[in-house]
């Protein structure tokens, strides 16, 4: 069965203009039936529509914000902020060390692609975790999620900003692109294109966290989402995400874009299968690998390239 996520189907945005596109409920229900997912089809069939069978955009926005709020609780429990800093702290240190005292010039900028409600960006801002010289930006194609992320950041008085649109159309270049829980939404050839776009930009590195594709992942996701999420859509998509997760090998292959050294932190075999749920695929300009390894210290043993992957115990 080809696994689909409901949240990918009930919203549509023109990637160029950012304009919202109408989505017909019957079309989504048909696609889910075709994929053999009757439960997901039933969830969508219960969503409100207008006379033309177009899904009610306000109801969809409310639903997406509700589901992402529940998702944020998972991010808190999984300590996503700390996990990011564990890798991004040394990565930004390596970038500063490479630029030298006179180097670089402009500010360092982190861009979170598909920032949703902006949990990660807001957490980094609230903890001042990467230093005052790192500008924090979240970007998402979904205007409702960006609006809510912005509202929460302003309510908390945080130094970060959120932009509605395509992460690759921003007027200012990122120094480092990051994301959490986004990669499994892309299938090939879109996954390789996602990495190629970053390699073709002036960015020095990327670091994308996504669900580790282990045999336990779908069961773990089921338990976790059952316990922590109330809406059937969130429960459905949580398990679908784990089933769609890319393998370590597929991620390293897709991330091997021109001018990028692809690396995986805590690949299968080096991580405790009962604990690791999200791990990052990292891409750096080749001159950054040695300083990154130095900055990581002992933890650098957990950072492997494609040539080492076959050698890690299963
Ligand atoms: C599952 S959400 C992830 C939300 C968030 N990272 C989290 O952990 O809660 C994936 C998001 O990626 C966004 N997205 C996908 N491609 C994008 C792009 N090129 N630019 C900006 N946002 C993008 C989608 O709009 C969607 O909201």
């Amino acid at each position: 069965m080809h696994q689909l996520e409901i949240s990918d189907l009930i919203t549509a945005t023109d990637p160029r203009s950012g304009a919202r596109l109408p989505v017909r409920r019957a079309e989504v229900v048909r696609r889910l039936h075709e994929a053999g997912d009757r439960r997901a089809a039933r969830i969508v069939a219960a969503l409100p529509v207008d006379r033309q069978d177009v899904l009610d955009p306000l109801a969809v926005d409310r639903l997406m914000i509700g589901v992402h709020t529940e998702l944020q609780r998972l991010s808190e429990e999984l300590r996503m902020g700390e996990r990011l800093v564990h890798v991004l702290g040394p990565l930004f240190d390596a970038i500063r060390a490479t630029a030298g005292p006179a180097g670089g010039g402009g500010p360092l900028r982190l861009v979170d692609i598909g920032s949703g409600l902006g949990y990660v960006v807001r957490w980094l801002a609230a903890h001042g975790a990467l230093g005052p010289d790192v500008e924090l930006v979240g970007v998402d194609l979904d205007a409702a999620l960006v609006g809510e992320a912005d509202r929460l950041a302003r309510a908390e008085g945080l130094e970060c900003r959120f932009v509605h649109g395509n992460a690759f159309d921003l007027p200012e270049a990122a120094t480092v692109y990051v994301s959490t829980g986004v990669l499994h939404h892309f299938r090939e050839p879109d996954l390789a294109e996602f990495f190629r776009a970053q390699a073709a930009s002036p960015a020095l590195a990327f670091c994308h966290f996504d669900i580790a594709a282990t045999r336990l992942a779908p069961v773990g996701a089921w338990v976790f989402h059952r316990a922590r999420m109330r809406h059937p859509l969130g429960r459905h998509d949580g398990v679908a995400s784990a089933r769609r997760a890319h393998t370590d090998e597929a991620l390293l292959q897709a991330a091997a874009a021109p001018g990028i050294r692809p690396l995986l932190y805590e690949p299968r075999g080096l991580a405790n299968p009962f604990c690791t749920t999200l791990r990052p695929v990292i891409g750096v300009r080749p001159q950054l690998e040695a300083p990154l390894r130095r900055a990581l210290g002992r933890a650098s043993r957990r950072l492997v390239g494609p040539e080492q992957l076959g050698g890690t115990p299963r």
Side-chain angles (χ1 to χ4, degrees):
M1 180 172 84
H2 179 51
Q3 192 77 52
L4 297 170
E5 280 178 71
I6 299 170
S7 56
D8 285 342
L9 304 177
I10 61 172
T11 57
T13 312
D14 182 326
R16 301 256 163 267
S17 66
R20 186 174 197 138
L21 303 171
V23 178
R24 290 191 194 285
R25 185 173 66 184
E27 173 61 15
V28 178
V29 169
R30 183 190 63 75
R31 286 187 63 185
L32 290 166
H33 271 302
E34 265 178 26
D37 195 342
R38 282 187 298 172
R39 185 172 148 243
R42 272 200 306 276
I43 294 171
V44 175
L47 298 179
V49 284
D50 68 10
R51 287 181 185 182
Q52 276 77 45
D53 189 46
V54 171
L55 285 171
D56 176 353
L58 281 180
V60 168
D61 286 351
R62 267 199 301 275
L63 179 56
M64 292 293 280
I65 289 173
V67 168
H68 278 79
T69 302
E70 292 192 339
L71 206 56
Q72 169 168 316
R73 287 214 297 269
L74 288 191
S75 298
E76 286 165 9
E77 243 166 85
L78 293 174
R79 298 178 152 265
M80 284 312 298
E82 284 94 336
R83 281 183 197 224
L84 256 86
V85 173
H86 179 67
V87 181
L88 290 179
L91 181 56
F92 275 102
D93 284 346
I95 289 171
R96 291 185 193 98
T98 314
L108 301 173
R109 185 174 296 115
L110 172 145
V111 172
D112 182 13
I113 305 177
S115 48
L117 292 185
Y119 172 72
V120 152
V121 166
R122 287 185 288 110
W123 192 95
L124 292 173
H127 291 80
L130 297 177
D133 58 338
V134 180
E135 189 190 348
L136 302 168
V137 184
V139 192
D140 205 293
L141 288 167
D142 188 311
L145 296 181
V146 169
E148 183 64 2
D150 190 52
R151 187 187 71 77
L152 292 168
R154 277 189 285 124
E156 293 167 46
L158 299 175
E159 279 279 322
C160 57
R161 63 192 169 93
F162 293 95
V163 181
H164 171 223
N166 187 333
F168 302 113
D169 291 340
L170 286 182
E172 309 126 320
T175 314
V176 177
Y177 284 108
V178 305
S179 73
T180 53
V182 171
L183 296 180
H184 64 270
H185 289 273
F186 299 114
R187 303 288 100 191
E188 289 298 3
D190 295 344
L191 183 66
E193 186 43 49
F194 176 78
F195 289 114
R196 264 198 299 273
Q198 293 163 75
S201 81
L204 297 177
F206 55 73
C207 177
H208 297 290
F209 280 75
D210 204 15
I211 305 157
T214 62
R215 269 196 220 146
L216 283 177
V219 181
W222 186 87
V223 173
F224 225 50
H225 286 78
R226 192 85 206 160
R228 286 284 176 259
M229 300 193 85
R230 287 184 204 111
H231 197 281
L233 187 155
R235 289 179 170 180
H236 173 275
D237 281 7
V239 177
S241 309
R243 291 211 179 108
R244 301 172 88 198
H246 299 291
T247 62
D248 292 351
E249 291 80 3
L251 282 184
L252 277 176
Q253 199 176 344
I260 287 293
R261 163 74 167 147
L263 297 160
L264 198 77
Y265 192 71
E266 292 192 336
R268 207 173 53 239
L270 283 187
N272 178 344
F274 294 99
C275 294
T276 306
T277 43
L278 283 95
R279 46 78 177 106
V281 60
I282 298 171
V284 292
R285 300 297 175 195
Q287 74 274 13
L288 269 176
E289 181 177 357
L292 172 60
R293 288 192 178 279
R294 274 197 297 279
L296 277 168
R298 281 171 61 82
S300 120
R301 287 178 303 177
R302 298 178 165 269
L303 189 64
V304 304
E307 69 288 349
Q308 293 149 284
L309 197 60
T312 58
R314 295 286 135 104

